[in-house]
Amino acid sequence: MLRLQGCKVQHKKIQLTGFSERLVNPQEETLEAGLSRELLEEMGVALPISVEDHVDACYAPASTPSPSSRLITHFYVRKMDEEQIREAEIAAASTATDHGLEVLGMVRVPLYTTKGGGLASFLSHSFIGNARSQLLNSLLRLNLVAPEELHKALTHSLKIHTHTTDDLKAALTLTEANRKRL
C-alpha cells in the first residue's frame, strides 16, 4: 500500500507536499502524472499512479485566512506485491537522488497480530492528521485485514497507547527532575 498525500492549490497550480515542494500545472500534467514523477525523483521508482488509485480528498482549513494557504490533501492507495515492494525499497536506497534527504523511506504496515506486536502496536503510534483513518479504510477496502481482526487490533492498540502514555509521563517526570538537579 502506498500513501501519497498532499496538494496545495495556489491559483492554477498544485503544490505537492509530503514528497517535495514542486509544482504541478494542471494544464500541463495531471496530479497522478505529477505524483508518478515525484515517486521517480524521490524514491527512484517509476510507479504509474492512476485516477483509480485515488481514494479520498480532504480539505484542511488553513491556520490563516489567506486564500493561497488553502490545503487539500489527496489520498492514493496502490496495492503492490512483495516483489514490487522489494524493488521499490532497493531503488529508493540505491538510485533515488533525494533518498535520506527529502524522503526517509517506506514503512511496511504489519498485517499480522502477535502478543505485544504487529498491527496493534503499529496502530498505537502517533499519526498525523487523518492518516490513521485513511490507513484503516484502505486496509478494509483492499480486503487486507478482516473487519473483526482490525477491530481487535484497534482495541488492543488503545491499551498499548494508554501504557505508552503512562511511560512517557514517567520519562518526562524523571527528565524534569534530572534537569532541575543539573
Side-chain angles (χ1 to χ4, degrees), residues 148-173:
E148 304 79 34
E149 291 299 314
L150 189 55
H151 180 60
K152 280 193 239 178
L154 280 169
T155 301
H156 190 67
S157 75
L158 292 173
K159 294 175 187 171
I160 294 170
H161 187 68
T162 301
H163 178 70
T164 304
T165 302
D166 292 341
D167 288 347
L168 180 58
K169 286 179 183 176
L172 287 171
T173 301

PDB file of all heavy atoms in Angstrom, residues 148-173:
ATOM      1  N   GLU A 148     -13.111  -7.952  11.702  1.00  0.00           N
ATOM      2  CA  GLU A 148     -13.018  -8.422  13.089  1.00  0.00           C
ATOM      3  C   GLU A 148     -11.583  -8.307  13.606  1.00  0.00           C
ATOM      4  O   GLU A 148     -11.347  -7.910  14.755  1.00  0.00           O
ATOM      5  CB  GLU A 148     -13.473  -9.885  13.211  1.00  0.00           C
ATOM      6  CG  GLU A 148     -14.860 -10.166  12.690  1.00  0.00           C
ATOM      7  CD  GLU A 148     -14.925 -10.291  11.161  1.00  0.00           C
ATOM      8  OE1 GLU A 148     -13.968 -10.778  10.517  1.00  0.00           O
ATOM      9  OE2 GLU A 148     -15.946  -9.856  10.609  1.00  0.00           O
ATOM     10  N   GLU A 149     -10.616  -8.671  12.753  1.00  0.00           N
ATOM     11  CA  GLU A 149      -9.213  -8.579  13.142  1.00  0.00           C
ATOM     12  C   GLU A 149      -8.784  -7.120  13.336  1.00  0.00           C
ATOM     13  O   GLU A 149      -8.026  -6.802  14.245  1.00  0.00           O
ATOM     14  CB  GLU A 149      -8.311  -9.260  12.109  1.00  0.00           C
ATOM     15  CG  GLU A 149      -8.448 -10.757  12.079  1.00  0.00           C
ATOM     16  CD  GLU A 149      -8.083 -11.396  13.405  1.00  0.00           C
ATOM     17  OE1 GLU A 149      -7.041 -11.035  13.991  1.00  0.00           O
ATOM     18  OE2 GLU A 149      -8.857 -12.262  13.870  1.00  0.00           O
ATOM     19  N   LEU A 150      -9.272  -6.249  12.476  1.00  0.00           N
ATOM     20  CA  LEU A 150      -8.951  -4.829  12.598  1.00  0.00           C
ATOM     21  C   LEU A 150      -9.537  -4.268  13.887  1.00  0.00           C
ATOM     22  O   LEU A 150      -8.887  -3.497  14.589  1.00  0.00           O
ATOM     23  CB  LEU A 150      -9.461  -4.060  11.380  1.00  0.00           C
ATOM     24  CG  LEU A 150      -9.012  -2.617  11.258  1.00  0.00           C
ATOM     25  CD1 LEU A 150      -7.492  -2.491  11.296  1.00  0.00           C
ATOM     26  CD2 LEU A 150      -9.551  -2.009   9.985  1.00  0.00           C
ATOM     27  N   HIS A 151     -10.741  -4.674  14.212  1.00  0.00           N
ATOM     28  CA  HIS A 151     -11.378  -4.228  15.457  1.00  0.00           C
ATOM     29  C   HIS A 151     -10.558  -4.686  16.670  1.00  0.00           C
ATOM     30  O   HIS A 151     -10.309  -3.900  17.591  1.00  0.00           O
ATOM     31  CB  HIS A 151     -12.812  -4.767  15.543  1.00  0.00           C
ATOM     32  CG  HIS A 151     -13.531  -4.349  16.777  1.00  0.00           C
ATOM     33  ND1 HIS A 151     -13.767  -3.032  17.100  1.00  0.00           N
ATOM     34  CD2 HIS A 151     -14.060  -5.076  17.792  1.00  0.00           C
ATOM     35  CE1 HIS A 151     -14.400  -2.953  18.247  1.00  0.00           C
ATOM     36  NE2 HIS A 151     -14.592  -4.183  18.689  1.00  0.00           N
ATOM     37  N   LYS A 152     -10.107  -5.935  16.653  1.00  0.00           N
ATOM     38  CA  LYS A 152      -9.273  -6.447  17.748  1.00  0.00           C
ATOM     39  C   LYS A 152      -7.973  -5.661  17.858  1.00  0.00           C
ATOM     40  O   LYS A 152      -7.541  -5.309  18.953  1.00  0.00           O
ATOM     41  CB  LYS A 152      -8.950  -7.930  17.533  1.00  0.00           C
ATOM     42  CG  LYS A 152     -10.046  -8.871  17.925  1.00  0.00           C
ATOM     43  CD  LYS A 152      -9.486 -10.294  17.967  1.00  0.00           C
ATOM     44  CE  LYS A 152     -10.250 -11.171  17.019  1.00  0.00           C
ATOM     45  NZ  LYS A 152      -9.757 -12.536  16.948  1.00  0.00           N
ATOM     46  N   ALA A 153      -7.344  -5.400  16.710  1.00  0.00           N
ATOM     47  CA  ALA A 153      -6.075  -4.665  16.713  1.00  0.00           C
ATOM     48  C   ALA A 153      -6.269  -3.246  17.248  1.00  0.00           C
ATOM     49  O   ALA A 153      -5.450  -2.757  18.029  1.00  0.00           O
ATOM     50  CB  ALA A 153      -5.483  -4.627  15.302  1.00  0.00           C
ATOM     51  N   LEU A 154      -7.349  -2.604  16.842  1.00  0.00           N
ATOM     52  CA  LEU A 154      -7.625  -1.242  17.336  1.00  0.00           C
ATOM     53  C   LEU A 154      -7.881  -1.240  18.834  1.00  0.00           C
ATOM     54  O   LEU A 154      -7.393  -0.369  19.559  1.00  0.00           O
ATOM     55  CB  LEU A 154      -8.824  -0.640  16.599  1.00  0.00           C
ATOM     56  CG  LEU A 154      -8.541  -0.080  15.222  1.00  0.00           C
ATOM     57  CD1 LEU A 154      -9.836   0.224  14.492  1.00  0.00           C
ATOM     58  CD2 LEU A 154      -7.679   1.162  15.319  1.00  0.00           C
ATOM     59  N   THR A 155      -8.654  -2.208  19.296  1.00  0.00           N
ATOM     60  CA  THR A 155      -8.945  -2.304  20.730  1.00  0.00           C
ATOM     61  C   THR A 155      -7.652  -2.506  21.514  1.00  0.00           C
ATOM     62  O   THR A 155      -7.420  -1.842  22.525  1.00  0.00           O
ATOM     63  CB  THR A 155      -9.920  -3.471  21.000  1.00  0.00           C
ATOM     64  OG1 THR A 155     -11.115  -3.239  20.256  1.00  0.00           O
ATOM     65  CG2 THR A 155     -10.260  -3.578  22.473  1.00  0.00           C
ATOM     66  N   HIS A 156      -6.796  -3.392  21.034  1.00  0.00           N
ATOM     67  CA  HIS A 156      -5.520  -3.640  21.708  1.00  0.00           C
ATOM     68  C   HIS A 156      -4.599  -2.420  21.617  1.00  0.00           C
ATOM     69  O   HIS A 156      -3.860  -2.127  22.552  1.00  0.00           O
ATOM     70  CB  HIS A 156      -4.836  -4.881  21.135  1.00  0.00           C
ATOM     71  CG  HIS A 156      -3.653  -5.319  21.931  1.00  0.00           C
ATOM     72  ND1 HIS A 156      -3.759  -5.826  23.211  1.00  0.00           N
ATOM     73  CD2 HIS A 156      -2.329  -5.298  21.636  1.00  0.00           C
ATOM     74  CE1 HIS A 156      -2.550  -6.098  23.664  1.00  0.00           C
ATOM     75  NE2 HIS A 156      -1.663  -5.788  22.719  1.00  0.00           N
ATOM     76  N   SER A 157      -4.654  -1.701  20.497  1.00  0.00           N
ATOM     77  CA  SER A 157      -3.791  -0.520  20.345  1.00  0.00           C
ATOM     78  C   SER A 157      -4.133   0.553  21.375  1.00  0.00           C
ATOM     79  O   SER A 157      -3.251   1.291  21.814  1.00  0.00           O
ATOM     80  CB  SER A 157      -3.879   0.048  18.931  1.00  0.00           C
ATOM     81  OG  SER A 157      -5.084   0.738  18.723  1.00  0.00           O
ATOM     82  N   LEU A 158      -5.402   0.634  21.763  1.00  0.00           N
ATOM     83  CA  LEU A 158      -5.791   1.594  22.798  1.00  0.00           C
ATOM     84  C   LEU A 158      -5.129   1.257  24.126  1.00  0.00           C
ATOM     85  O   LEU A 158      -4.698   2.136  24.857  1.00  0.00           O
ATOM     86  CB  LEU A 158      -7.312   1.622  22.952  1.00  0.00           C
ATOM     87  CG  LEU A 158      -8.080   2.199  21.778  1.00  0.00           C
ATOM     88  CD1 LEU A 158      -9.578   2.009  21.979  1.00  0.00           C
ATOM     89  CD2 LEU A 158      -7.743   3.665  21.592  1.00  0.00           C
ATOM     90  N   LYS A 159      -5.038  -0.038  24.438  1.00  0.00           N
ATOM     91  CA  LYS A 159      -4.376  -0.457  25.677  1.00  0.00           C
ATOM     92  C   LYS A 159      -2.890  -0.148  25.612  1.00  0.00           C
ATOM     93  O   LYS A 159      -2.306   0.316  26.590  1.00  0.00           O
ATOM     94  CB  LYS A 159      -4.608  -1.954  25.904  1.00  0.00           C
ATOM     95  CG  LYS A 159      -6.052  -2.306  26.169  1.00  0.00           C
ATOM     96  CD  LYS A 159      -6.236  -3.799  26.261  1.00  0.00           C
ATOM     97  CE  LYS A 159      -7.715  -4.135  26.351  1.00  0.00           C
ATOM     98  NZ  LYS A 159      -7.952  -5.573  26.226  1.00  0.00           N
ATOM     99  N   ILE A 160      -2.276  -0.410  24.466  1.00  0.00           N
ATOM    100  CA  ILE A 160      -0.847  -0.120  24.282  1.00  0.00           C
ATOM    101  C   ILE A 160      -0.606   1.374  24.412  1.00  0.00           C
ATOM    102  O   ILE A 160       0.321   1.814  25.083  1.00  0.00           O
ATOM    103  CB  ILE A 160      -0.345  -0.615  22.914  1.00  0.00           C
ATOM    104  CG1 ILE A 160      -0.406  -2.134  22.843  1.00  0.00           C
ATOM    105  CG2 ILE A 160       1.074  -0.119  22.634  1.00  0.00           C
ATOM    106  CD1 ILE A 160      -0.160  -2.682  21.443  1.00  0.00           C
ATOM    107  N   HIS A 161      -1.466   2.163  23.771  1.00  0.00           N
ATOM    108  CA  HIS A 161      -1.312   3.621  23.793  1.00  0.00           C
ATOM    109  C   HIS A 161      -1.426   4.163  25.217  1.00  0.00           C
ATOM    110  O   HIS A 161      -0.652   5.033  25.606  1.00  0.00           O
ATOM    111  CB  HIS A 161      -2.342   4.273  22.876  1.00  0.00           C
ATOM    112  CG  HIS A 161      -2.145   5.743  22.708  1.00  0.00           C
ATOM    113  ND1 HIS A 161      -1.063   6.268  22.042  1.00  0.00           N
ATOM    114  CD2 HIS A 161      -2.870   6.797  23.135  1.00  0.00           C
ATOM    115  CE1 HIS A 161      -1.130   7.578  22.061  1.00  0.00           C
ATOM    116  NE2 HIS A 161      -2.217   7.920  22.717  1.00  0.00           N
ATOM    117  N   THR A 162      -2.354   3.644  25.998  1.00  0.00           N
ATOM    118  CA  THR A 162      -2.506   4.080  27.382  1.00  0.00           C
ATOM    119  C   THR A 162      -1.241   3.771  28.153  1.00  0.00           C
ATOM    120  O   THR A 162      -0.739   4.605  28.898  1.00  0.00           O
ATOM    121  CB  THR A 162      -3.715   3.380  28.037  1.00  0.00           C
ATOM    122  OG1 THR A 162      -4.874   3.711  27.283  1.00  0.00           O
ATOM    123  CG2 THR A 162      -3.909   3.829  29.465  1.00  0.00           C
ATOM    124  N   HIS A 163      -0.691   2.587  27.975  1.00  0.00           N
ATOM    125  CA  HIS A 163       0.546   2.194  28.642  1.00  0.00           C
ATOM    126  C   HIS A 163       1.692   3.094  28.193  1.00  0.00           C
ATOM    127  O   HIS A 163       2.489   3.556  29.011  1.00  0.00           O
ATOM    128  CB  HIS A 163       0.846   0.728  28.333  1.00  0.00           C
ATOM    129  CG  HIS A 163       2.123   0.237  28.942  1.00  0.00           C
ATOM    130  ND1 HIS A 163       2.275   0.059  30.291  1.00  0.00           N
ATOM    131  CD2 HIS A 163       3.307  -0.087  28.374  1.00  0.00           C
ATOM    132  CE1 HIS A 163       3.496  -0.365  30.538  1.00  0.00           C
ATOM    133  NE2 HIS A 163       4.144  -0.467  29.386  1.00  0.00           N
ATOM    134  N   THR A 164       1.774   3.376  26.893  1.00  0.00           N
ATOM    135  CA  THR A 164       2.830   4.231  26.353  1.00  0.00           C
ATOM    136  C   THR A 164       2.725   5.645  26.930  1.00  0.00           C
ATOM    137  O   THR A 164       3.732   6.267  27.256  1.00  0.00           O
ATOM    138  CB  THR A 164       2.745   4.276  24.812  1.00  0.00           C
ATOM    139  OG1 THR A 164       2.797   2.940  24.324  1.00  0.00           O
ATOM    140  CG2 THR A 164       3.883   5.078  24.213  1.00  0.00           C
ATOM    141  N   THR A 165       1.505   6.139  27.062  1.00  0.00           N
ATOM    142  CA  THR A 165       1.296   7.472  27.626  1.00  0.00           C
ATOM    143  C   THR A 165       1.806   7.534  29.059  1.00  0.00           C
ATOM    144  O   THR A 165       2.479   8.492  29.448  1.00  0.00           O
ATOM    145  CB  THR A 165      -0.198   7.848  27.569  1.00  0.00           C
ATOM    146  OG1 THR A 165      -0.617   7.798  26.213  1.00  0.00           O
ATOM    147  CG2 THR A 165      -0.452   9.229  28.127  1.00  0.00           C
ATOM    148  N   ASP A 166       1.509   6.501  29.832  1.00  0.00           N
ATOM    149  CA  ASP A 166       1.996   6.460  31.216  1.00  0.00           C
ATOM    150  C   ASP A 166       3.520   6.421  31.254  1.00  0.00           C
ATOM    151  O   ASP A 166       4.151   7.102  32.061  1.00  0.00           O
ATOM    152  CB  ASP A 166       1.425   5.242  31.950  1.00  0.00           C
ATOM    153  CG  ASP A 166      -0.082   5.351  32.170  1.00  0.00           C
ATOM    154  OD1 ASP A 166      -0.621   6.491  32.086  1.00  0.00           O
ATOM    155  OD2 ASP A 166      -0.718   4.307  32.402  1.00  0.00           O
ATOM    156  N   ASP A 167       4.122   5.608  30.364  1.00  0.00           N
ATOM    157  CA  ASP A 167       5.583   5.539  30.292  1.00  0.00           C
ATOM    158  C   ASP A 167       6.184   6.890  29.910  1.00  0.00           C
ATOM    159  O   ASP A 167       7.200   7.310  30.464  1.00  0.00           O
ATOM    160  CB  ASP A 167       6.030   4.489  29.274  1.00  0.00           C
ATOM    161  CG  ASP A 167       5.788   3.063  29.747  1.00  0.00           C
ATOM    162  OD1 ASP A 167       5.507   2.879  30.948  1.00  0.00           O
ATOM    163  OD2 ASP A 167       5.875   2.156  28.902  1.00  0.00           O
ATOM    164  N   LEU A 168       5.550   7.580  28.956  1.00  0.00           N
ATOM    165  CA  LEU A 168       6.041   8.885  28.519  1.00  0.00           C
ATOM    166  C   LEU A 168       5.965   9.895  29.663  1.00  0.00           C
ATOM    167  O   LEU A 168       6.906  10.657  29.893  1.00  0.00           O
ATOM    168  CB  LEU A 168       5.246   9.380  27.314  1.00  0.00           C
ATOM    169  CG  LEU A 168       5.640  10.728  26.748  1.00  0.00           C
ATOM    170  CD1 LEU A 168       7.099  10.742  26.323  1.00  0.00           C
ATOM    171  CD2 LEU A 168       4.741  11.117  25.589  1.00  0.00           C
ATOM    172  N   LYS A 169       4.873   9.893  30.394  1.00  0.00           N
ATOM    173  CA  LYS A 169       4.733  10.817  31.534  1.00  0.00           C
ATOM    174  C   LYS A 169       5.803  10.540  32.585  1.00  0.00           C
ATOM    175  O   LYS A 169       6.398  11.466  33.138  1.00  0.00           O
ATOM    176  CB  LYS A 169       3.343  10.692  32.150  1.00  0.00           C
ATOM    177  CG  LYS A 169       2.254  11.316  31.316  1.00  0.00           C
ATOM    178  CD  LYS A 169       0.903  11.138  31.971  1.00  0.00           C
ATOM    179  CE  LYS A 169      -0.208  11.699  31.105  1.00  0.00           C
ATOM    180  NZ  LYS A 169      -1.534  11.431  31.696  1.00  0.00           N
ATOM    181  N   ALA A 170       6.072   9.263  32.857  1.00  0.00           N
ATOM    182  CA  ALA A 170       7.109   8.903  33.829  1.00  0.00           C
ATOM    183  C   ALA A 170       8.478   9.363  33.345  1.00  0.00           C
ATOM    184  O   ALA A 170       9.275   9.886  34.130  1.00  0.00           O
ATOM    185  CB  ALA A 170       7.099   7.392  34.067  1.00  0.00           C
ATOM    186  N   ALA A 171       8.755   9.180  32.047  1.00  0.00           N
ATOM    187  CA  ALA A 171      10.040   9.612  31.485  1.00  0.00           C
ATOM    188  C   ALA A 171      10.183  11.129  31.567  1.00  0.00           C
ATOM    189  O   ALA A 171      11.253  11.640  31.895  1.00  0.00           O
ATOM    190  CB  ALA A 171      10.178   9.139  30.047  1.00  0.00           C
ATOM    191  N   LEU A 172       9.111  11.849  31.289  1.00  0.00           N
ATOM    192  CA  LEU A 172       9.161  13.313  31.378  1.00  0.00           C
ATOM    193  C   LEU A 172       9.391  13.774  32.809  1.00  0.00           C
ATOM    194  O   LEU A 172      10.148  14.710  33.062  1.00  0.00           O
ATOM    195  CB  LEU A 172       7.869  13.921  30.814  1.00  0.00           C
ATOM    196  CG  LEU A 172       7.714  13.866  29.301  1.00  0.00           C
ATOM    197  CD1 LEU A 172       6.304  14.298  28.894  1.00  0.00           C
ATOM    198  CD2 LEU A 172       8.742  14.741  28.629  1.00  0.00           C
ATOM    199  N   THR A 173       8.743  13.134  33.752  1.00  0.00           N
ATOM    200  CA  THR A 173       8.928  13.472  35.169  1.00  0.00           C
ATOM    201  C   THR A 173      10.373  13.242  35.580  1.00  0.00           C
ATOM    202  O   THR A 173      10.984  14.082  36.236  1.00  0.00           O
ATOM    203  CB  THR A 173       7.966  12.631  36.043  1.00  0.00           C
ATOM    204  OG1 THR A 173       6.636  12.907  35.636  1.00  0.00           O
ATOM    205  CG2 THR A 173       8.129  12.957  37.514  1.00  0.00           C
TER     206      THR A 173
END
